[in-house]
Amino acid sequence: MAYKKFKAGSLFTGTEMLPSNHILIANEDATIEAIVDETEAGDDVQVLNGIITPGFINSHCHLELSHMKGLVPEHTGLVDFVFSIVTQRHFAEGEITAAIKNGEDEMLANGIVAVGDICNNMLTLPQKQQQRLAYYNFVEVSGWNPSIAAMRFQKSMEYYTGFSQLPIRNSQLSLSPHAPYSVSNELWELLQTGFPNKTVTIHNQETAFEDALFKAGSGDFLRMYQAMGIDNSFFVPTSKSSLQSYIGKMEDARNVLLVHNTFSSEEDIASVQQLASKLLQPTFFCLCPNANQYIENAMPPLDVLRKYNAAIVLGTDSLASNWSLSIVDEIKTLRKHFPLVPLEEMLQWATINGAKALQMDKKLGSFEKGKKPGIVSLSEDLTELKRIM
Ligand SMILES: [Zn+2]
């Protein structure tokens, strides 16, 4: 068997940044063989610029919304954004499926190898059947009014069955709640039966109004319910933050994947970390900084998350709320706002942590023997990226 050997300015393994005397060796089919010192590597070493890294994991995307690129104005705030998505997402099917293919092409070109993808319909299934990327499909369930819980659950089960046709080799599947403000207790109970062994994801505290709703039954969500004709009279505020009101409902999930966390308080983050260690439950905080910039003109509390050793992962969200589907673009934005955080740490979020969150770390996320994580080269200034294998 012929080997491929690579050397660069640095070799990021998925967990650490190694200096340039380390050589990555892979089989011809891109399976990782070893990392060795250059004195032991022999001939035919290909020299690349910048950093060699495993392929990236996009832990939060909505590929099915790719056709909405540029449609919703920036900085509207979440409530008006959600309203725009719900009312404007319907296009001719051909336009939607063409945009889905372009979105997947863009992720491939940007070195992404696996995606945690939110699904509200079956339109991404034909593209995913081509198996160019690995997917954890999160069939998203919502329904605020308790009276529609059974109906919504049944509809989502149909999609779940549809996506379960995908080969298990590189796709996984769960039913996941959309957001605290869109899932009733009755619907949570139906969902909970499917949580064991699954990664369960939820949009968390993407706006400050989520806490206002749960603490006091006030704030901008009341305007959204009214605009959408949703009866909210049944809702009883919990006097707690949104996160602390629902996090206990996810305790049967294998992994918890909290997305956005833009307005999570230090107290919330501390209590989630405490619960995760009590339950021995891997809990991941997914940051989508470009979407936060696009919608709320906000940034997530990265310093607090790091203070509590939170397991961070990165996501692009959809093209409805982002300019690109690129994990490197998310890293660039984080580096602009948090220049003191080492690149090595951010690359861990983008590779091994994402692979763990999506239960794909046996194959992806790091350069360990037998894995096939994809090999990407990245210039030191992050402006140039190339898929090597
Ligand atoms: Zn999202």
Side-chain angles (χ1 to χ4, degrees), residues 117-122 136-142 152-153 155-164 172-178 191 201:
D117 195 47
I118 303 287
C119 309
N120 279 280
N121 57 52
M122 301 295 298
Y136 203 118
N137 292 302
F138 299 113
V139 172
E140 185 168 80
V141 189
S142 65
R152 288 296 182 86
F153 181 72
K155 186 79 208 158
S156 303
M157 278 308 294
E158 286 172 28
Y159 297 147
Y160 185 93
T161 305
F163 279 104
S164 68
Q172 299 189 57
L173 184 61
S174 75
L175 283 184
S176 284
H178 164 251
L191 287 174
T201 193

Side-chain angles (χ1 to χ4, degrees), residues 60 62 118 203 260 317:
H60 182 74
H62 305 241
I118 303 287
H203 291 87
H260 290 298
D317 217 345

Side-chain angles (χ1 to χ4, degrees), residues 32-71:
I32 301 305
E33 181 60 29
I35 294 172
V36 300
D37 190 87
E38 66 184 329
T39 54
E40 296 158 25
D43 302 334
D44 298 326
V45 176
Q46 216 177 310
V47 181
L48 306 165
N49 286 325
I51 306 162
I52 300 174
T53 166
F56 299 117
I57 314 294
N58 182 358
S59 295
H60 182 74
C61 187
H62 305 241
L63 189 57
E64 66 191 19
L65 294 179
S66 297
H67 62 291
M68 295 189 75
K69 186 173 183 179
L71 221 66

Side-chain angles (χ1 to χ4, degrees), residues 6-13 16-24 35-39 45 48 50-52 344 367 380:
F6 304 102
K7 170 190 166 80
S10 353
L11 175 62
F12 176 70
T13 63
E16 61 179 332
M17 196 77 87
L18 300 176
S20 65
N21 62 315
H22 291 82
I23 309 297
L24 177 68
I35 294 172
V36 300
D37 190 87
E38 66 184 329
T39 54
V45 176
L48 306 165
I51 306 162
I52 300 174
E344 179 184 52
F367 291 140
E380 294 283 351

Side-chain angles (χ1 to χ4, degrees), residues 176-221:
S176 284
H178 164 251
Y181 57 82
S182 65
V183 177
S184 63
N185 287 335
E186 287 75 2
L187 189 49
W188 269 108
E189 276 173 33
L190 293 170
L191 287 174
Q192 279 166 326
T193 58
F195 285 175
N197 302 318
K198 300 291 188 183
T199 295
V200 178
T201 193
I202 185 167
H203 291 87
N204 177 60
Q205 293 172 312
E206 196 175 350
T207 162
F209 291 118
E210 239 179 77
D211 280 354
L213 177 70
F214 279 85
K215 283 181 176 165
S218 63
D220 218 16
F221 280 110

Side-chain angles (χ1 to χ4, degrees), residues 121-149:
N121 57 52
M122 301 295 298
L123 293 175
T124 56
L125 181 64
Q127 191 63 44
K128 289 168 178 169
Q129 274 164 336
Q130 297 189 26
Q131 297 186 65
R132 301 192 303 165
L133 292 172
Y135 283 95
Y136 203 118
N137 292 302
F138 299 113
V139 172
E140 185 168 80
V141 189
S142 65
W144 187 235
N145 194 312
S147 68
I148 61 170

